[in-house]
């Protein structure tokens, strides 16, 4: 039952800039190569998990909240938040609050292949709970001076084994197994 953190990152470890913009990612020539990688990955996923900033980013950037269902189908989307965020009709969003370890049994009931989309600290919370099996990062040829960190934990090489790598145009996709 793998739990996989899969995200696009700058070369120096940011998921988004300080204003939560991903324009640097969309500006990479052939950024569709990275999107194609994510689309292929999604076919093997049953359940999606994200933090509230990521959810709000999606709501602000999709043409409508219902486009969540276009992007992610009927997969449950678990959103970690301490707030009473809107859940729109026709979407499969479930709000969840509190420690990952407590929420995990309910999340696992909704599918065995789980995509932790981000942000980085939420992926770190899954790691802390011993519930991160794989990390896949699509590295963009970009450095940012600051931003939202990709995985703000100390995880040394004894915990990570490289199991796959491939070039996607200007990007490199790296997959590590977490020991
Ligand atoms: N490059 C990529 O592939 C990629 C992937 C994912 C995200 N992103 C972007 O990266 C940025 C990530 O933002 P972020 O670092 O703020 O992370 P985030 O995980 O999207 O959101 C963090 C927020 O989620 C809530 N939360 C987290 N853990 C929780 C828990 N255990 N219980 C309850 N609530 C919890 C908290 O907010 P509240 O409690 O106040 O709601 C917290 O401030 C966003 O701009 C996103 O769009 C990029």
């Amino acid at each position: 039952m793998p739990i996989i953190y899969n995200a696009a990152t700058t070369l120096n470890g940011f998921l988004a800039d300080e204003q939560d913009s991903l324009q640097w990612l969309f500006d990479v020539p052939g950024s569709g190569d990275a999107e194609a990688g994510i689309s292929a990955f999604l076919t093997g996923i049953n359940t999606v998990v994200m933090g509230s900033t990521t959810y709000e980013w999606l709501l602000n950037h999709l043409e409508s909240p219902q486009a969540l269902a276009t992007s992610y189908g009927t997969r449950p989307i678990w959103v970690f938040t301490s707030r009473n965020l809107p859940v729109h009709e026709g979407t499969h969003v479930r709000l969840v609050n509190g420690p990952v370890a407590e929420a995990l049994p309910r999340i696992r009931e909704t599918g065995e292949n789980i995509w932790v989309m981000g942000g980085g600290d939420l992926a770190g919370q899954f790691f802390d709970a011993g519930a991160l099996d794989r990390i896949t990062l699509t590295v963009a040829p970009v450095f940012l001076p600051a931003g939202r960190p990709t995985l703000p934990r100390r995880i040394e090489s004894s915990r990570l084994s490289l199991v796959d790598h491939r070039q996607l145009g200007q990007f490199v996709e790296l997959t590590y197994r977490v020991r």
Side-chain angles (χ1 to χ4, degrees):
M1 288 210 266
I3 301 184
I4 305 159
Y5 175 39
N6 187 329
T9 179
T10 68
L11 276 160
N12 60 332
F14 295 112
L15 291 181
D17 74 13
E18 286 174 296
Q19 283 74 46
D20 290 306
S21 172
L22 296 179
Q23 197 53 49
W24 55 270
L25 179 59
F26 304 132
D27 285 346
V28 176
S31 64
D33 294 329
E35 285 167 29
I38 284 289
S39 299
F41 168 78
L42 188 61
T43 60
I45 290 298
N46 315 113
T47 297
V48 179
V49 175
M50 66 185 71
S52 63
T53 311
T54 303
Y55 178 53
E56 289 183 300
W57 187 94
L58 286 168
L59 289 180
N60 288 333
H61 288 81
L62 292 172
E63 59 195 40
S64 74
Q66 285 69 33
L68 279 173
T70 313
S71 300
Y72 304 111
T74 56
R75 296 172 184 85
I77 300 174
W78 294 86
V79 176
F80 277 82
T81 182
S82 59
R83 293 171 291 143
N84 193 18
L85 291 175
V87 174
H88 300 274
E89 208 177 324
T91 68
H92 303 276
V93 170
R94 301 162 189 221
L95 303 182
V96 58
N97 185 14
V100 163
E102 282 178 21
L104 208 46
R106 277 187 295 148
I107 295 174
R108 282 194 196 276
E109 274 172 21
T110 61
E112 55 180 26
N113 298 316
I114 298 169
W115 176 15
V116 179
M117 187 185 280
D121 185 71
L122 183 62
Q125 293 177 51
F126 275 78
F127 175 81
D128 298 340
L132 200 57
D133 301 302
R134 262 196 278 160
I135 298 170
T136 295
L137 295 177
T138 301
V139 183
V142 175
F143 291 91
L144 293 173
R148 308 295 176 214
T150 301
L151 187 42
R153 293 294 187 279
R154 186 177 180 114
I155 305 176
E156 297 199 7
S157 56
S158 60
R159 304 295 307 274
L160 299 173
S161 304
L162 183 66
V163 293
D164 201 7
H165 67 282
R166 59 176 175 151
Q167 183 173 353
L168 297 169
Q170 291 296 302
F171 300 86
V172 180
E173 185 193 76
L174 302 166
T175 298
Y176 293 89
R177 182 167 59 80
V178 182
R179 293 196 207 120

